[in-house]
Amino acid sequence: MTLKIVDGMENKKLCLIMVTEDERDKCFLTQKLTRYMGWLAIRCKVFKDRDIQGIEIKFDDLVTNVCEWFKEEHTTVAILDLENIKLSDGPKYDSIFRRDHIDTLFVEYIGDEANQDTLSTPLESITSNKELTDPLSYVVLRKESKDILVNKVENYLQTRIIFYVLNINMENKSIWLSRHGESVFNLEEKIGGDSSLSPRGQKYAQLLPDLITKEIGESPLIVWTSTLRRTQETAKYLPYKKLAWKALDELDAGVCDGMTYKEIEEEYPEDFKARDDDKYQYRYRGGESYADVVNRIEPVIMELERQENVLIITHQAVLRCIYAYFMNVPQGESPWMTIPLHTLIKLTPTTDGVKVTRIKTDIPAVSTYKEKGSSDITSNPSNLSSKYANILEEVSTIQKI
């Protein structure tokens, strides 16, 4: 059984135009928004008024390229990354794209050092422009999100984009990701369930405080777990504030919960094959798909962007979705990534990308990885079908967005 996502936004066409004083801010926001849209299965493409060699692209050609993009199936968002663009240029772009039923939204991102009066300037210049027969949709915001000016933001997609930008916090933060310690069900090759940790899983839980202390020192940290026993037990010895999220629970395997992959292949052979064919969209009978997990952890991602240092202790499928968000892994490939047990992953977002540090402990643990087309657990996944399978083994010091 597969899940067909019906999104009310798929018929919307939105041209998002970024206005910033700092080119690095524009590059950063464009990358973040492109990655966020892709993670939510919203097709998005960036258009620049300069080619790779820096040669200017004619304005008419740029407009043609954008309009052609929107003729493709299920395209929703185009981001214009233009040089020397101002909010006062809005009427020109708005009137041009509106002819093709494309909404425009200007996002002006102002540096912290900007004058307080800057926020009131756009409203005066735009509303007095005689070219406008209808108010322009735009948002003006300060880097620290303390001052916001919103004008004619009407639809859900525009609101969603603005809310995302408002929640971005880049101030000296790191995010640590870890699966729970090895569980009893892991040893039995069973999926799902709510089992306790194995003796080796308990050792990992006892070692985790020292690992985190070495990484973070005296800096503040909050620990997020799922509501399931194995993550709670893994976080037991950590001397930090803890918050349990139901949204971080493992992917619900429905009627297959507590079964091994071999048992699933024997009892539900059609479902076993369907899941291998489209693991991201396949939904277990009475359970969830990876697409469902992405939808339910979106509030977690939004809160994660707002927070400072966070350690997330959760499950394999959920960590695949979170890691795919930060590292821009295609949705269809994300369910095939290996996320080993007893390994701590540190992500440090920067304006240039995400720095990845992988800290592997010397506490042994079983593999839980199943390769496509097989019901066997792969203990040494070195030559797997997905090029993203061993992405954690292959990360460089800085993994670009």
Side-chain angles (χ1 to χ4, degrees):
M1 180 171 58
T2 58
L3 169 66
K4 171 65 176 175
I5 294 182
V6 179
D7 193 335
M9 295 182 294
E10 65 181 8
N11 295 319
K12 290 289 185 183
K13 299 178 180 180
L14 178 64
C15 185
L16 183 65
I17 303 174
M18 306 299 301
V19 183
T20 63
E21 298 171 329
D22 188 332
E23 190 61 31
R24 286 173 63 86
D25 285 344
K26 183 186 294 184
C27 179
F28 169 68
L29 285 172
T30 299
Q31 288 177 336
K32 292 281 283 187
L33 281 164
T34 304
R35 188 181 64 197
Y36 176 62
M37 294 289 122
W39 188 70
L40 292 175
I42 299 171
R43 290 198 64 197
C44 176
K45 186 174 180 179
V46 178
F47 294 86
K48 298 176 179 287
D49 56 1
R50 296 284 192 280
D51 62 17
I52 299 176
Q53 286 76 32
I55 301 173
E56 184 177 359
I57 298 173
K58 292 181 179 179
F59 179 72
D60 290 344
D61 292 338
L62 179 67
V63 172
T64 299
N65 292 339
V66 174
C67 293
E68 286 297 319
W69 158 255
F70 279 119
K71 290 178 183 177
E72 296 183 20
E73 187 178 7
H74 301 309
T75 55
T76 306
V77 178
I79 299 179
L80 263 60
D81 183 356
L82 310 176
E83 291 190 10
N84 303 317
I85 184 72
K86 301 181 294 295
L87 190 54
S88 56
D89 297 323
K92 176 176 69 172
Y93 289 90
D94 192 56
S95 59
I96 290 171
F97 289 116
R98 194 175 293 182
R99 291 198 299 265
D100 287 274
H101 307 287
I102 301 170
D103 294 331
T104 59
L105 173 65
F106 275 73
V107 176
E108 183 165 22
Y109 198 58
I110 297 175
D112 298 332
E113 70 283 352
N115 188 284
Q116 184 71 25
D117 295 334
T118 308
L119 284 169
S120 62
T121 305
L123 185 61
E124 297 169 1
S125 60
I126 295 299
T127 54
S128 62
N129 195 306
K130 295 181 181 179
E131 292 184 42
L132 277 180
T133 57
D134 209 7
L136 184 71
S137 298
Y138 65 87
V139 58
V140 183
L141 54 97
R142 198 176 292 275
K143 229 174 186 180
E144 294 182 348
S145 303
K146 292 180 179 178
D147 301 295
I148 308 163
L149 179 64
V150 178
N151 189 66
K152 200 202 170 193
V153 173
E154 298 178 323
N155 64 54
Y156 176 64
L157 180 56
Q158 291 178 345
T159 304
R160 197 169 189 169
I161 289 171
I162 292 170
F163 185 66
Y164 176 73
V165 174
L166 289 176
N167 279 282
I168 294 174
N169 168 27
M170 279 296 298
E171 299 301 322
N172 301 318
K173 63 187 287 184
S174 289
I175 299 158
W176 286 265
L177 308 176
S178 176
R179 289 179 67 182
H180 53 79
E182 180 187 74
S183 71
V184 174
F185 264 29
N186 291 151
L187 292 173
E188 297 172 350
E189 296 189 358
K190 295 178 179 179
I191 65 172
D194 192 18
S195 66
S196 293
L197 296 182
S198 70
R200 293 188 300 197
Q202 289 286 355
K203 288 183 179 179
Y204 178 69
Q206 292 165 5
L207 178 64
L208 199 53
D210 288 339
L211 289 180
I212 292 296
T213 301
K214 288 177 182 177
E215 287 293 318
I216 202 167
E218 299 296 323
S219 300
L221 177 76
I222 186 169
V223 180
W224 294 353
T225 69
S226 76
T227 63
L228 299 176
R229 190 182 311 168
R230 52 196 184 274
T231 65
Q232 305 277 312
E233 292 178 358
T234 305
K236 177 180 178 180
Y237 302 103
L238 290 163
Y240 304 102
K241 179 181 177 182
K242 302 178 185 72
L243 179 65
W245 289 73
K246 181 68 176 173
L248 289 175
D249 284 0
E250 179 60 300
L251 185 152
D252 185 351
V255 297
C256 297
D257 189 65
M259 298 174 69
T260 67
Y261 287 120
K262 288 184 181 295
E263 290 170 342
I264 296 170
E265 185 179 30
E266 292 172 1
E267 191 163 343
Y268 304 105
E270 292 182 1
D271 294 80
F272 185 86
K273 183 180 183 305
R275 189 166 193 262
D276 270 4
D277 290 342
D278 189 357
K279 193 173 180 181
Y280 184 80
Q281 293 286 3
Y282 172 83
R283 177 186 282 167
Y284 278 108
R285 297 187 185 191
E288 292 181 300
S289 66
Y290 272 82
D292 293 325
V293 174
V294 165
N295 285 333
R296 71 165 150 93
I297 69 169
E298 187 192 358
V300 178
I301 292 293
M302 200 69 72
E303 184 62 23
L304 196 55
E305 289 286 6
R306 294 180 62 249
Q307 292 287 334
E308 294 183 359
N309 297 318
V310 179
L311 166 61
I312 300 178
I313 302 173
T314 182
H315 308 268
Q316 180 171 243
V318 179
L319 282 183
R320 283 169 171 163
C321 294
I322 294 173
Y323 193 81
Y325 165 76
F326 281 101
M327 306 313 296
N328 206 24
V329 176
Q331 288 175 325
E333 299 289 347
S334 61
W336 297 107
M337 291 189 294
T338 54
I339 307 287
L341 290 164
H342 300 175
T343 301
L344 189 62
I345 306 164
K346 180 182 178 182
L347 305 178
T348 306
T350 71
T351 54
D352 297 320
V354 179
K355 180 180 179 182
V356 183
T357 306
R358 183 171 60 95
I359 306 166
K360 186 172 177 58
T361 68
D362 59 359
I363 302 172
V366 296
S367 170
T368 61
Y369 189 86
K370 184 196 82 68
E371 171 64 315
K372 184 182 294 187
S374 172
S375 59
D376 294 325
I377 298 299
T378 306
S379 59
N380 185 23
S382 56
N383 296 307
L384 302 179
S385 58
S386 171
K387 69 177 182 178
Y388 292 93
N390 290 307
I391 189 172
L392 272 177
E393 301 287 342
E394 301 161 358
V395 294
S396 57
T397 304
I398 294 286
Q399 179 74 28
K400 292 293 184 181
I401 293 175

